[in-house]
Amino acid sequence: MVNTAVNLSGMQMDNPVIPASGTFGYGYEFTEWYDINVLGSFSFKGTTRDPRFGNPTPRIAECPAGMINAVGLQNPGVDKVIAEELPKLKKFFHKPVIANISGFSVEEYVDCARKLDKEEQVGLIEVNVSCPNVHGGGMSFGTSPEAAAEVTKAVKAVCHKPVYIKLSPNVTDIVSIAKACEEAGADGLSLINTLLGMRIDLNRKKPVIANKMGGFSGSAIFPVAVRMVYQVYDAVKIPIIGMGGVSTAEDVIEMMLAGATAVQVGAANLIDPCACKQIIDDLPAVMAKYHITNLTDIIGGAHA
Amino acid sequence: MKQAFFQVIENTALTESVYRMKLCGDTEGIRTGQFVNIKLDGLFLRRPISVCDVEGDTLTLIYKVVGKGTQQMSQMTGGTLDVLTGLGNGYDLTTSGDHPLLIGGGVGVPPLYLAAKLLRAEGKQVSVILGFNTKDEIFYEQEFAALGCDVTVTTVDGSYGVKGFVTNAMKPGYTHIYTCGPEPMLKAVYNASETSGQFSFEERMGCGFGACMGCSCKTKYGNKRICKDGPVLVKEEIVW
């Protein structure tokens, strides 16, 4: 027998597999494919204070071993998520969920976090700091240690639940940002968000995506994600949720060896709606193959 | 929605770039106006293709070669495909009235075939307008006629049938419109139509089953996902 259970800042999970924000909606769409209670947890669609339509279409472009999306945080707004999506989810999912929030100002993050922190179904808050700061010249909060720390402090001040900061890989030194978040009181870190990418249509000779650029995800970015999780694990003491191109049970183990306590699966859900269930089903046999009895034993195992 | 493996049993060129693929597998639950999403070797995203016909365990798809995915499909002579089926809302045939008008443009023609077949089975008087650029691109004129539909073909260059666009062939007397085609055509049909209607849209998709919000559009009834809440929108909700 193998033990797949892990614990994220007090949130006990049957397994480390978590569908990543933006690839799993508010869970409902996947209930037609499988019983989503097999999941460790899931991170719901990036939610903002106000409703957002997002970017114009086309929003999707294909890449070798991956895809680019520029959805632009389409969501119904935090009040509607609490009034409609969470009650609907309650019927299908009986575990704590990860509330992924975004904002374009510190105040927006705080408003959103304060409301979701009160929700019984929310196990932890995951703060996406990859959005542009409208009061900071449009630069993403996640690209400066100071701005990331400011958001972390502000959100921590209004939350009782664990706060994880989801880091952007589009930076010179992710380690300095990770450390700044830890010092500002973050309970954990999620990494990595998508890599900024672009495709150009040869027929039209123009960018494929209306927004021109978007977030590159999928198995192609897995090595980048493993490297960043490995580097950040060395520099911080708080737990890490590793993500970026994970699509198999072997990837989950590799990510945990790099230093992740739990693992998110993103783009894979969009190609194979049952991807997470498959990974969870495969995990015990893959653990046995590599002589792993307790999954928690291997966290950071690749470090000297 | 289902994930199933289908056997490729036929793959025929209908024109220079349009192919018909027949697949054998679990077709249960597939409705008219829906689409399937096909996984192909070496390509990350699945390829959404509209359902042309379902007969027993045979699923018929008609697709145009426009890129790597459809190119790969066109070269298949057998083998197995991983397919998500039952995607999208599809056409609602209960609002057709006695004389529905079906209008298809180019590769917008195939999804109307199953609708025509089912409407004819209900004894409706079905008129069909099929629009193409030129004579060489025409397909399925005979197939619609064989169902007992009143078929008019239009070509932009006048090389066959009525010269001009599908709207040049629209005549009053129909009770409801079912249409699929390029967006400029849909908009022209919308403006020319005098009844209620159902318009099938196309958009670049991520997942095809409502998860990623890649194909959202605005409607009078709020934001909708072309893949899940569409691809068929009713006339009164469309925002151009």
Side-chain angles (χ1 to χ4, degrees), chain A residues 22-25 29-30 32-33 45 52-53 57-63 65-67 71 74 201 203 208 217-219 267-274, chain B residues 1-3 37 39 42-47 66 68 82 84-85 87 203-218 223-225 228:
Chain A
T23 65
F24 214 73
E29 283 72 19
F30 285 82
E32 279 190 64
W33 297 103
K45 181 90 183 85
R52 284 175 59 83
F53 174 72
T57 56
R59 298 172 167 183
I60 304 285
E62 180 162 87
C63 307
M67 62 182 282
V71 170
Q74 180 177 348
D201 181 330
N203 285 312
V208 172
S217 62
S219 34
N269 293 306
L270 305 181
I271 324 159
D272 181 357
C274 298
Chain B
M1 298 193 293
K2 270 187 189 174
Q3 183 168 19
N37 216 357
K39 198 171 195 170
L43 297 173
F44 193 76
L45 296 171
R46 289 174 181 264
R47 296 306 194 259
V66 290
K68 277 184 200 164
D82 169 355
L84 305 182
T85 66
L87 306 179
E203 186 52 81
R204 212 170 256 271
M205 292 174 186
C207 62
F209 53 89
C212 73
M213 304 290 183
C215 61
S216 297
C217 70
K218 288 177 182 164
N223 299 334
K224 291 204 168 182
R225 298 158 294 181
K228 181 77 179 175

Side-chain angles (χ1 to χ4, degrees), chain A residues 147-171:
Chain A
E150 190 191 350
V151 175
T152 308
K153 259 191 204 128
V155 170
K156 268 301 285 179
V158 297
C159 287
H160 297 92
K161 290 180 174 155
V163 172
Y164 277 54
I165 309 296
K166 182 168 176 177
L167 303 181
S168 166
N170 305 307
V171 294

Side-chain angles (χ1 to χ4, degrees), chain B residues 36 78 92 99 103 111 125 134 140 161 183 187 215 218-219 230:
Chain B
V36 300
D92 176 1
H99 186 182
I103 305 176
Q125 186 193 342
T134 184
Y140 261 47
E183 201 170 306
K187 195 171 178 183
C215 61
K218 288 177 182 164
T219 76

Side-chain angles (χ1 to χ4, degrees), chain B residues 29-45:
Chain B
I30 299 177
R31 299 194 309 270
T32 171
Q34 289 190 319
F35 66 96
V36 300
N37 216 357
I38 303 175
K39 198 171 195 170
L40 295 163
D41 285 346
L43 297 173
F44 193 76
L45 296 171

Side-chain angles (χ1 to χ4, degrees), chain A residues 39-81:
Chain A
L39 301 168
S41 177
F42 82 88
S43 180
F44 67 51
K45 181 90 183 85
T47 297
T48 50
R49 185 178 64 189
D50 306 315
R52 284 175 59 83
F53 174 72
N55 292 320
T57 56
R59 298 172 167 183
I60 304 285
E62 180 162 87
C63 307
M67 62 182 282
I68 294 176
N69 89 83
V71 170
L73 292 169
Q74 180 177 348
N75 79 94
V78 67
D79 292 335
K80 215 166 175 180
V81 168

